Amino acid sequence: MSFDPRSIPIDPAAAAALARHGLEYRLLDPDDHDAMQAWVEAEHRGFHHARPRDVEREYGLAVAAERRVHGVYDPQAADPAVPVATVDGWPTGLSVPGGRSVDAWAVSGVTVAATHRRRGIARALMEGELANARNAGAAIAMLTVTEATIYGRYGYAPAAKAATVTIDRQRAHWIGPDVPGRVHFVEPADLREAAAAIARRAVARTPGEIDRWAGILDRALGLVDPQGDAARRVRTVRYDDGHGQAQGFVAYRITREPNEPGFVEFDFLVAATDDAERALWRFLVEQDFVTGVRGRLRSVDEPLPWLLEDPRAVTLTDVVDHLWVRILDPVEALAARRYGIAGTLDLEIADPLQHASGRFRLVVGERGRAEVERLDDAAAPARHALKLGVQELGAIYLGGVRPSVLARATRITAPAAGSLPLADRMFAADRTPHLSIWF
């Protein structure tokens, strides 16, 4: 989707719902510096962050300028120029099984001031973003969440998990194979161009990853405020394969007390190949004068325990339902991904908000490619079928949840015998879905 997301008309239903509470729903102009700056301040406040320093404010303005930014304003507030609620969204690709991508709408920056609860603001914002996504032609809306009880009412469902991976350095003896190529220390600024290319290839490997924007790489590499204390602690290494091609990188830091062993921590390990992944893990776990390694937002299906003599050196904590997906167009969404086996399956989808309701036939050929059609009421049913809600469809879409598990929880119904085993095998992904960033 290549277009200006600000060209979409403001959602009249959201504007009317907020107006009934005496509030104004506004689409911000990125050239209105004062309004955008007030929005960034409000977003920081909404997420309980400290007031931004100038460099952080400028970074926030640069990121927001590339997105569709909404604010909710209260004319009776002490400072009516500062929004009491925020949200932003933008079109982007979502990686799906089979190394393909689907047009999606990312939703971020959702905050409501504590002074303005219970006025229907969150509902107006969320339903407004679904309208924006539909108007943009997105098949899917998606977000990452801090609270798991809010977004299901709008049709979102957890589709990809993430976890914190911690390695005990004293128990971490590498038994994996040697990897061709080499790992280099590089300066973050020198890595920036290669990092973008590596990230594009890495995203395509894993269902649940989304296209990276420039700002997130700048932040990961410590380039937003390169002279700040946090940025100066960042060290970066790049993995080049046996042909000298850059295939992966990691940005990490070591926290330590004076004269004590440190602890390696990272949030951003990016690998475009399996060799790159192994080489970077080995570099991290074989550091000297450290007691452990900790990586956040890692896959729940990391290969690392199988590369160490003692798999118990690796522990997973903070396992969370990180990426939430909301199907808007079942035909486009289902046709975009590849499937585990051939088969025909009817899906009867219930959607209280009516974006994805209906009967759909999913026909998958021998090579895993799908054709999807909406069925009318007169269409004869297929042999195998599922009855499910839009949330359940979102949960199984990337292959992270088996349909049979949701059936055991009475969230999916399969009228005919054999439908659930077929659905499990069709929706299986060749790689566990995973999202390694916040957005």
Side-chain angles (χ1 to χ4, degrees):
M1 292 186 289
S2 178
F3 70 102
D4 183 353
R6 292 175 293 272
S7 65
I8 302 169
I10 198 166
D11 179 42
L18 291 165
R20 287 194 290 271
H21 291 275
L23 303 170
E24 182 184 352
Y25 183 53
R26 223 181 273 172
L27 175 62
L28 274 65
D29 180 348
D31 293 328
D32 187 341
H33 186 271
D34 289 344
M36 291 291 284
Q37 182 167 290
W39 188 93
V40 170
E41 297 276 358
E43 186 201 30
H44 274 67
R45 180 183 66 191
F47 284 119
H48 306 310
H49 298 326
R51 290 180 179 84
R53 296 179 297 127
D54 288 345
V55 66
E56 294 163 337
R57 188 180 296 107
E58 291 304 314
Y59 170 78
L61 289 170
V63 171
E66 300 297 322
R67 300 178 178 181
R68 181 182 173 91
V69 176
H70 285 281
V72 178
Y73 297 82
D74 182 353
Q76 305 303 315
D79 187 350
V82 178
V84 298
T86 64
V87 68
D88 64 70
W90 68 100
T92 188
L94 169 68
S95 293
V96 297
R100 306 177 73 187
S101 178
V102 65
D103 287 341
W105 184 264
V107 180
S108 186
V110 183
T111 75
V112 178
T115 54
H116 285 70
R117 305 293 187 197
R118 312 237 189 297
R119 299 195 194 183
I121 295 176
R123 176 168 289 279
L125 292 180
M126 296 311 300
E127 293 185 358
E129 287 305 304
L130 293 180
N132 291 337
R134 289 299 300 265
N135 288 330
I140 289 172
M142 58 189 179
L143 41 72
T144 53
V145 308
T146 52
E147 297 183 54
T149 58
I150 297 175
Y151 299 99
R153 68 194 72 169
Y154 309 110
Y156 291 88
K161 293 182 177 180
T164 296
V165 175
T166 303
I167 303 100
D168 182 344
R169 175 66 183 89
Q170 302 306 311
R171 301 171 66 179
H173 174 62
W174 187 267
I175 59 169
D178 291 334
V179 175
R182 58 183 298 181
V183 172
H184 310 261
F185 276 107
V186 291
E187 286 300 307
D190 296 336
L191 177 61
R192 178 63 181 79
E193 183 177 351
I198 294 167
R200 284 192 294 271
R201 299 197 301 274
V203 162
R205 301 177 74 218
T206 303
E209 294 283 14
I210 77 166
D211 293 345
R212 303 302 195 246
W213 58 98
I216 194 167
L217 292 173
D218 292 336
R219 181 174 286 280
L221 297 175
L223 300 177
V224 174
D225 180 16
Q227 296 306 313
D229 289 344
R232 289 189 297 110
R233 286 196 295 269
V234 173
R235 301 291 182 182
T236 49
V237 298
R238 187 188 74 226
Y239 166 74
D240 297 345
D241 65 19
H243 303 287
Q245 177 70 34
Q247 299 287 10
F249 70 92
V250 63
Y252 72 97
R253 58 202 172 274
I254 295 180
T255 59
R256 57 187 292 267
E257 296 296 327
N259 302 315
E260 295 292 333
F263 209 96
V264 180
E265 296 186 330
F266 70 93
D267 303 311
F268 224 79
L269 185 156
V270 181
T273 66
D274 289 342
D275 278 349
E277 186 176 35
R278 288 190 290 268
L280 292 171
W281 269 124
R282 184 170 189 175
F283 167 82
L284 291 167
V285 303
E286 291 188 341
Q287 296 270 349
D288 290 328
F289 202 50
V290 300
T291 59
V293 181
R294 181 179 297 113
R296 296 178 178 84
L297 295 184
R298 299 304 305 165
S299 173
V300 296
D301 199 19
E302 291 281 353
L304 183 61
W306 300 97
L307 296 167
L308 302 178
E309 183 178 55
D310 182 357
R312 293 187 181 182
V314 181
T315 57
L316 266 63
T317 57
D318 303 323
V319 178
V320 293
D321 41 66
H322 187 47
L323 176 70
W324 288 56
V325 161
R326 206 288 184 200
I327 305 295
L328 293 167
D329 185 338
V331 173
E332 291 295 323
L334 291 168
R337 59 156 290 177
R338 299 288 287 270
Y339 293 84
I341 61 166
T344 298
L345 190 65
D346 282 2
L347 301 172
E348 184 176 338
I349 304 168
D351 181 356
L353 298 181
Q354 300 303 310
H355 294 290
S357 294
R359 292 176 60 216
F360 302 86
R361 179 158 295 162
L362 172 64
V363 181
V364 177
E366 293 298 330
R367 301 183 66 180
R369 297 185 180 275
E371 294 184 359
V372 187
E373 64 173 323
R374 181 185 287 271
L375 302 175
D376 58 32
D377 293 340
R383 177 183 176 188
H384 295 295
L386 300 180
K387 295 178 67 174
L388 70 171
V390 68
Q391 277 189 277
E392 289 70 35
L393 180 62
I396 68 174
Y397 176 67
L398 295 176
V401 180
R402 295 195 307 277
S404 61
V405 171
L406 294 182
R408 287 161 57 193
T410 68
R411 299 286 295 263
I412 287 179
T413 301
S419 296
L420 284 171
L422 175 65
D424 280 357
R425 295 172 68 193
M426 287 177 69
F427 277 90
D430 56 3
R431 192 177 179 98
T432 302
H434 167 227
L435 175 64
S436 58
I437 61 170
W438 285 97
F439 66 85

